[in-house]
Amino acid sequence: MADITEIRELAQKLNLWNIARGYIDLNDEKLSNLDYLKMVLEKELEIRARQKHTKLRKASKLPNKAFDASDSNKGLKWQIKQLSNLTWLKEEQNSILLGKCGTGKTGLAAQLGETAISNGHKTYYAPFDNFIAVAEKKATNPKAEAIFSYMQECDLIIIDDVFYVEPTRAELQVFYRAVTFLNEARSIIFITNRELSAWIDAAEDKHLCQTLLDRMTVNCQIVRLTDK
């Protein structure tokens, strides 16, 4: 049997303040059925949660990829389990998914992004080239400005194909500035197929690249994926 307190708590979550604050006395509503009302309010919350998930999923631009962990080693399975509890996201830590092409890096990132969205976290996915283009044009292009503004609202940003191709000096500078700015209040997943030690060798500006790596790897988990 539902009670008045439960009804008012649900009403408060729905911003139904007349019920939540007792302005409508449910005890005096002779025709009301509290159990039915509780079911209606719970259903409303369920619908709102589903609509919110759909909206966040569409805005995230996450690829429709899945990660199959069945053949993964115990260490990787443990890491994935730890990442899936999102403690690192709440603590605004970064993650780097590292491995050769075809090892499932993007699929794992998409899975973590889905988990974040299911827990109400705004998430945005962008390949490296797209991320650079948005960061470069945010001051002059309305679409890029809108995307960058959305990224500032996100709890999680996923950047794919980082250093897949060696960035130019100008691209590295744009990337460094954008990552430094965005990383102040949110988590970033970096996806790369290149060993971090090889980034510096590939970069024109080795000092800036080292500074970038230092920032990225502070409070960061590195997940190494291998061929199955």
Side-chain angles (χ1 to χ4, degrees), residues 9-37:
E9 287 176 350
L10 288 169
Q12 183 176 350
K13 292 180 180 179
L14 291 167
N15 292 327
L16 302 175
W17 294 108
N18 287 325
I19 295 176
R21 292 171 178 168
Y23 298 152
I24 297 175
D25 190 347
L26 297 176
N27 287 316
D28 289 341
E29 296 292 323
K30 301 295 189 296
L31 298 179
S32 66
N33 182 315
L34 295 184
D35 285 323
Y36 179 75
L37 179 57

Side-chain angles (χ1 to χ4, degrees), residues 17-220:
W17 294 108
N18 287 325
I19 295 176
R21 292 171 178 168
Y23 298 152
I24 297 175
D25 190 347
L26 297 176
N27 287 316
D28 289 341
E29 296 292 323
K30 301 295 189 296
L31 298 179
S32 66
N33 182 315
L34 295 184
D35 285 323
Y36 179 75
L37 179 57
K38 181 171 180 285
M39 182 273 292
V40 169
L41 295 178
E42 288 177 334
K43 189 67 176 178
E44 176 69 19
L45 285 172
E46 179 186 326
I47 292 170
R48 289 191 183 189
R50 189 161 59 245
Q51 290 173 335
K52 180 181 179 181
H53 181 275
T54 300
K55 182 179 179 181
L56 290 178
R57 179 62 177 79
K58 183 178 180 180
S60 73
K61 306 301 181 184
L62 280 174
N64 292 315
K65 291 190 175 184
F67 180 75
D68 181 7
S70 58
D71 294 331
S72 302
N73 59 54
K74 291 182 179 179
L76 179 57
K77 287 181 178 178
W78 181 86
Q79 276 190 299
I80 294 172
K81 183 178 179 181
Q82 295 302 308
L83 288 170
S84 296
N85 68 26
L86 301 183
T87 300
W88 59 282
L89 185 60
K90 296 170 186 175
E91 296 176 353
E92 298 175 358
Q93 296 178 352
N94 295 333
S95 293
I96 297 174
L97 306 186
L98 193 156
K100 295 179 181 178
C101 293
T103 52
K105 302 183 300 298
T106 301
L108 176 55
Q111 178 178 303
L112 293 172
E114 290 278 8
T115 301
I117 290 171
S118 295
N119 284 269
H121 297 289
K122 287 186 176 181
T123 299
Y124 191 79
Y125 167 91
F128 180 81
D129 289 346
N130 292 11
F131 182 83
I132 292 296
V134 167
E136 281 181 325
K137 299 175 182 177
K138 66 181 187 299
T140 57
N141 183 291
K143 184 177 179 180
E145 181 184 11
I147 293 173
F148 198 80
S149 293
Y150 185 76
M151 284 196 282
Q152 291 180 65
E153 297 174 8
C154 288
D155 302 302
L156 173 62
I157 297 171
I158 300 171
I159 308 175
D160 205 347
D161 295 330
V162 182
F163 264 78
Y164 180 75
V165 176
E166 293 89 342
T168 65
R169 183 186 297 271
E171 288 173 335
L172 184 61
Q173 290 173 345
V174 170
F175 187 63
Y176 173 80
R177 287 195 295 269
V179 165
T180 300
F181 176 76
L182 291 170
N183 203 199
E184 289 182 356
R186 60 197 51 81
S187 295
I188 301 177
I189 293 178
F190 301 93
I191 305 173
T192 183
N193 68 339
R194 192 187 294 261
E195 291 289 341
L196 300 185
S197 58
W199 284 25
I200 299 175
D201 294 334
E204 292 182 53
D205 190 333
K206 300 185 186 307
H207 175 73
L208 181 61
C209 187
Q210 181 63 65
T211 305
L212 170 66
L213 282 170
D214 290 343
R215 287 184 176 274
M216 285 172 50
T217 53
V218 172
N219 295 322
C220 177

